[in-house]
Amino acid sequence: MSKVVKSVFYDDLQKAGNFKQLEHRLLGESNLPGPRANLGAASAFADAFAFSEVTREAWELIVEWSQVLDAPTDDPREFLPFCALQAMGAYYRYAESSQQEVILQCCQAAMNDSRWRMREAAAIALQRIGEQDFGVLQSLFDSMLDTAGALEKRAFIATLAHPPLLKEPAHALYALKLSEQILDEIAAGQTRYNTEEFRVLSKGLEYALSVFVEHAPEAGFELLAKFAVTEDKRMLKIVKSNLGKARLTKKFSQDVERIQLLMNSE
């Protein structure tokens, strides 16, 4: 079924005159307003850009859609930039260098978007890029980390908490190293607490670490142990939440128990 949807989107994108019709179709299939956008349609649309022969008009279309900033959360028109960002991620490997710069700029802007769905689109787009070339993610995140805000840091870990990216052990270790830097900053009081941005970052850390630990358990549980021996309630909440994830309790029960004992001894 996905191939059929992809083919329809691909054919439509070859004909600039169909763009308005395509827009109406995506809006109609968006499932918005509602709690869950049509992720299948967004992914199929993005897949139509995973080719080198994307037309100039199709490229200009997703750039235009990525700039739809006046559609509030759950408005059907929010689906257009949601789809456009994912399409940019799919197209990255085939794009010219100037286009690649635009793609990364759009992803960075979406990291800080007030709309949670757009922040998710940024992570999905970057995951697509990372599956093509993980080095792009490393270069981007390393260049941003020193000055990154809470929402940008959340985008980093949300992007990396994608199992296909972590099959390579070095990638999982990179994710843990970056997470440790973020946690060190929180522990040192360098992150503003009691803000919505920190709440979003904390929620991300409360699940993402377990994904990283699953793929690099030795280094991962060492990281959790480091932050389990603290009086910082925010840090303990992050560690405890990850220890409770089934991906760890089912496969590494002894390690989980060991870290829990460290927390209880404090």
Side-chain angles (χ1 to χ4, degrees), residues 92-93 126 128-138 165 171:
Y92 185 87
R93 78 164 80 182
L126 290 167
R128 283 181 174 264
I129 293 172
E131 289 180 16
Q132 301 161 19
D133 185 348
F134 192 83
V136 174
L137 296 186
Q138 287 186 272
L165 294 179
H171 298 173

Side-chain angles (χ1 to χ4, degrees), residues 35-46:
R36 190 173 181 83
N38 190 338
L39 302 182
S43 181
F45 179 79

Side-chain angles (χ1 to χ4, degrees), residues 81-83 85-86 107 110 116-126:
F82 182 75
C83 291
L85 277 172
Q86 295 181 51
C107 287
W116 68 267
R117 193 170 281 114
M118 294 310 303
R119 299 196 296 268
E120 292 303 312
I124 296 171
L126 290 167

Side-chain angles (χ1 to χ4, degrees), residues 17-211:
N18 282 1
F19 288 172
K20 185 55 66 174
Q21 178 181 343
L22 176 60
E23 178 179 330
H24 287 316
R25 178 184 172 186
L26 284 172
L27 293 176
E29 295 183 2
S30 68
N31 289 348
L32 300 177
R36 190 173 181 83
N38 190 338
L39 302 182
S43 181
F45 179 79
D47 286 343
F49 282 81
F51 299 95
S52 59
E53 61 267 24
V54 169
T55 66
R56 178 177 59 82
E57 290 81 8
W59 162 253
E60 291 175 350
L61 176 71
I62 58 173
V63 171
E64 177 185 343
W65 283 0
S66 72
Q67 302 304 313
V68 176
L69 306 176
D70 60 345
T73 298
D74 281 349
D75 187 295
R77 282 185 55 77
E78 182 192 20
F79 198 56
L80 298 180
F82 182 75
C83 291
L85 277 172
Q86 295 181 51
M88 286 181 168
Y91 183 53
Y92 185 87
R93 78 164 80 182
Y94 307 104
E96 298 176 358
S97 59
S98 60
Q99 293 173 320
Q100 291 179 338
E101 291 180 12
V102 171
I103 291 170
L104 294 181
Q105 289 170 1
C106 288
C107 287
Q108 290 180 59
M111 290 179 186
N112 293 293
D113 200 294
S114 61
R115 298 165 294 183
W116 68 267
R117 193 170 281 114
M118 294 310 303
R119 299 196 296 268
E120 292 303 312
I124 296 171
L126 290 167
Q127 286 166 358
R128 283 181 174 264
I129 293 172
E131 289 180 16
Q132 301 161 19
D133 185 348
F134 192 83
V136 174
L137 296 186
Q138 287 186 272
S139 295
L140 177 65
F141 296 167
D142 289 347
S143 69
M144 295 179 63
L145 185 58
D146 287 345
T147 58
L151 292 181
E152 290 167 332
K153 292 173 184 174
R154 185 268 175 189
F156 302 165
I157 61 170
T159 298
L160 293 169
H162 182 54
L165 294 179
L166 303 174
K167 293 178 180 178
E168 179 67 39
H171 298 173
L173 291 175
Y174 172 77
L176 286 169
K177 178 182 177 182
L178 185 144
S179 299
E180 184 174 15
Q181 289 181 259
I182 294 173
L183 291 167
D184 280 337
E185 291 176 1
I186 295 174
Q190 297 175 20
T191 302
R192 290 179 58 199
Y193 301 122
N194 302 319
T195 65
E196 174 63 14
E197 290 78 8
F198 177 76
R199 186 193 70 80
V200 172
L201 171 59
S202 182
K203 282 291 184 183
L205 289 165
E206 286 169 27
Y207 83 89
L209 295 183
S210 66
V211 182

